[in-house]
Amino acid sequence: MSRAVPAADHVVVVGAGLAGLSAACHLIGAGRRVTVVERDDAPGGRAGRIRRGGYLFDTGPTVLTMPHLADEAFRAVGTSLREHVELLPLHPAYRARFADGSALDVHTDAQAMEAEVERFAGPGEAAGYRELRHWLTRLYHAQMRRFIDSNFDSPWQLLNPDLARLAALGGFGRLAPRIGRHLGDERLRRVFSFQSLYAGVAPARALAAYAVIAYMDTVAGVWFPRGGMHALPRAMAGAVAAAGAEFRYGSTVVRLERSGRRVTAVVTDRERIPCDAVVLTPDLPVTYRLLGRAPRRWVPLRFSPSAVVLHLGTDRTWPQLAHHTLWFGHAWERTFEELTRAGVLMTDPSLLVTRATATDPSLAPAGRHTHYVLAPAPNTVIGPDAAAWDDLAPGYRRHLLDTLEQRGLTGIGGAVEEELLVTPADWAALGHAAGTPFSAAHTFTQTGPFRPRNLVRGLENAVVAGCGTTPGVGVPTVLISGKLAAARITGTPRPARPGRRVPGAARPVGGSAAPGPPGPLPSSSERSRA
């Protein structure tokens, strides 16, 4: 059993993002009294929501994989994910478009994807895909229980039979060469390796173990919640509130009161909340500031690249777009060099375009569409600092629109009715280290037991959750992070209680349900259309 904090009856969870909500569900399910403190006026954190002229924009993640991990949180309070959120499977999961004009639909069904790969690149590559899918599946099963869904107290915990299995699978080699063992077509290699950017490392330098993200995206399936990604945290908040958690929205934590090695109260700008333990989910700099210390590390933290996100509400759409479209430029290795080392904006952008209204038209006025354009960008440590983005933002907006126009979205600039531009400066204003929403990069020295720990040295009853700690970045791992934080307080998690409905539990979120309040972004994010 992993280490646990001393007995705690009342736990304060700081932050109502996915990590905090997951922790709250598992804590309530284990019989603890929980108060959730959130600085914004609605749940969600990074998975927020903003409204512009009838358009509803998700401000954070757009890809939902491994929904059973969210279901674990709901089941901890006696209900289920499907009672609260309607999940719509995406077919295809992605559409990949390449600079040579070719396109590939990425299916999670094995037979459909094999046929698509054969159409795209021939029978030899289809056979390679079969081998790759088998390897990805074995890699996932070797990692999940021991290395992802596990609390670490020491690097010695790595010494277990699954470590040998992971090594035998080549998990400690490099990602790009490992993918290349199975696929010769350079375009296909991109489809199964771009995910390492989520972990903040170029495919040529990332551990092959991070192909587990490709498993989640391309094998396990991709879903979209009706009502948008924000429907998930909104439903989680409703379920845990119905189970007895109290919420303090619009409250900013200003300090932690201590007595010796214990936190005794969380003090907000409105009140003092006594507690027996605290779960801290803000990004690492905010958490460490509240704790009054940062852990000593023999290697300084390195942070992932950031992103510029251009939210567009348009009066038309384009048939070549799927729900998720990966649009690759000619450049590949140079792009990662620019993002992770040179610290310059992509000269030949690779973009993710999400058209949520392809699946849920209710997110826009009738006949209108939302387009979420994500462009990876250097973080503010190695690239332009936050202040520089005041001058860079207008020109980069035009550059993104020009790029999309050149790649076939004819007339996109004139089709925009509402928009919102989010830059690394805006992420920094929200308290995200290095101006990136993707937190600490997953280098070897920042992975597993070497990642910032979720136990706080010097304090007996403070636990950290979120993408900066174990297991890391991404919706699935952040949900696990909340569960692992709760386990530090409760001990080994009890099995979920399927089938028992909590009295008064939140009603299902459907397409006709009234949307929740918009999630906040700093006012500096708002850019009017030129």
Side-chain angles (χ1 to χ4, degrees):
M1 179 185 294
S2 61
R3 285 179 52 199
V5 305
D9 174 55
H10 180 212
V11 183
V12 173
V13 176
V14 179
L18 291 172
L21 293 169
S22 174
C25 286
H26 289 285
L27 287 164
I28 285 282
R32 302 308 191 268
R33 185 163 63 93
V34 173
T35 301
V36 182
V37 179
E38 169 56 51
R39 67 180 178 182
D40 296 331
D41 294 326
R46 287 171 172 83
R49 158 75 57 78
I50 197 161
R51 181 193 295 269
R52 286 290 181 272
Y55 293 92
L56 297 176
F57 299 117
D58 283 320
T59 60
T62 63
V63 178
L64 179 61
T65 61
M66 314 294 284
H68 70 276
L69 296 172
D71 190 55
E72 284 185 356
F74 283 97
R75 289 189 179 278
V77 292
T79 181
S80 68
L81 173 63
R82 69 179 182 178
E83 289 187 68
H84 298 264
V85 180
E86 181 185 358
L87 291 184
L88 306 170
L90 297 186
H91 303 297
Y94 295 95
R95 177 168 295 151
R97 303 193 71 88
F98 301 94
D100 64 1
S102 61
L104 171 81
D105 280 353
V106 179
H107 300 282
T108 53
D109 176 78
Q111 291 184 338
M113 187 58 185
E114 186 176 333
E116 177 69 354
V117 171
E118 182 168 351
R119 177 201 65 79
F120 181 77
E125 294 297 277
Y129 164 73
R130 283 197 304 272
E131 296 171 357
L132 175 62
R133 185 183 179 98
H134 179 63
W135 178 72
L136 290 173
T137 303
R138 294 174 65 201
L139 190 75
Y140 168 77
H141 288 296
Q143 291 188 70
M144 187 63 184
R145 186 170 66 90
R146 297 272 194 164
F147 303 113
I148 298 174
D149 194 0
S150 181
N151 273 318
F152 285 99
D153 294 320
S154 164
W156 295 110
Q157 286 177 250
L158 289 172
L159 301 179
N160 60 68
D162 285 332
L163 183 70
R165 295 188 187 97
L166 185 57
L169 287 167
F172 298 108
R174 297 300 173 189
L175 176 62
R178 186 71 207 198
I179 298 296
R181 285 191 180 190
H182 302 284
L183 300 172
D185 191 294
E186 191 267 346
R187 297 166 300 172
L188 289 173
R189 293 180 183 185
R190 293 188 185 191
V191 170
F192 291 95
S193 63
F194 82 91
Q195 296 89 349
S196 72
L197 189 60
Y198 300 156
V201 187
R205 300 195 302 274
L207 290 176
Y210 281 104
V212 71
I213 310 175
Y215 169 87
M216 296 176 184
D217 278 1
T218 67
V219 177
V222 178
W223 282 262
F224 187 71
R226 189 177 297 279
M229 286 290 289
H230 181 66
L232 176 58
R234 183 157 48 106
M236 291 177 71
V240 75
E246 296 183 10
F247 282 79
R248 304 284 197 274
Y249 291 116
S251 295
T252 299
V253 176
V254 295
R255 61 187 175 90
L256 305 176
E257 283 189 7
R258 305 184 203 181
S259 176
R261 292 169 56 86
R262 294 181 65 89
V263 174
T264 56
V266 173
V267 181
T268 76
D269 54 357
R270 296 185 175 188
E271 61 183 321
R272 176 184 180 272
I273 308 173
C275 63
D276 302 311
V278 61
V279 177
L280 299 163
T281 72
D283 207 17
L284 294 177
V286 177
T287 289
Y288 293 155
R289 185 165 64 248
L290 290 172
L291 293 170
R293 57 175 296 176
R296 294 188 300 272
R297 293 182 57 86
W298 62 280
V299 175
L301 277 177
R302 287 177 51 194
F303 290 91
S304 296
S306 184
V308 173
V309 180
L310 180 57
H311 300 274
L312 301 174
T314 63
D315 63 8
R316 58 170 294 194
T317 190
W318 293 264
Q320 59 266 53
L321 294 176
H323 184 111
H324 294 300
T325 300
L326 292 163
W327 224 314
F328 295 105
H330 288 282
W332 186 239
E333 291 182 4
R334 187 181 80 223
T335 295
F336 286 99
E337 179 71 19
E338 291 168 341
L339 293 172
T340 64
R341 292 190 170 182
V344 298
L345 297 174
M346 293 181 292
T347 52
D348 183 15
S350 287
L351 307 172
L352 170 65
V353 181
T354 296
R355 181 172 59 118
T357 44
T359 304
D360 187 353
S362 71
L363 298 172
R368 267 53 178 174
H369 299 270
T370 63
H371 298 87
Y372 170 114
V373 182
L374 185 147
N379 65 45
T380 57
V381 172
I382 69 165
D385 63 17
W389 276 100
D390 284 340
D391 293 327
L392 288 172
Y396 198 61
R397 169 197 173 275
R398 288 193 296 272
H399 176 60
L400 290 177
L401 290 175
D402 288 346
T403 299
L404 293 171
E405 178 91 28
Q406 293 163 9
R407 293 182 182 177
L409 302 192
T410 306
I412 187 170
V416 176
E417 295 184 333
E418 299 286 345
E419 71 177 270
L420 178 70
L421 182 70
V422 184
T423 74
D426 299 311
W427 302 122
L430 287 170
H432 300 322
T436 173
F438 304 115
S439 196
H442 285 262
T443 59
F444 178 77
T445 58
Q446 295 177 180
T447 295
F450 308 114
R451 198 163 179 82
R453 298 180 65 203
N454 61 3
L455 285 181
V456 178
R457 189 183 301 274
L459 287 175
E460 295 179 348
N461 63 342
V463 188
V464 179
C467 59
T469 185
T470 52
V473 177
V475 172
T477 41
V478 164
L479 290 168
I480 292 172
S481 175
K483 180 178 73 170
L484 295 179
R488 290 293 195 183
I489 295 169
T490 64
T492 303
R494 295 190 300 184
R497 297 167 291 172
R500 186 180 72 82
R501 184 175 178 84
V502 175
R507 298 181 64 181
V509 178
S512 60
L521 280 172
S523 58
S524 61
S525 297
E526 301 178 24
R527 316 287 185 189
S528 59
R529 180 160 60 96

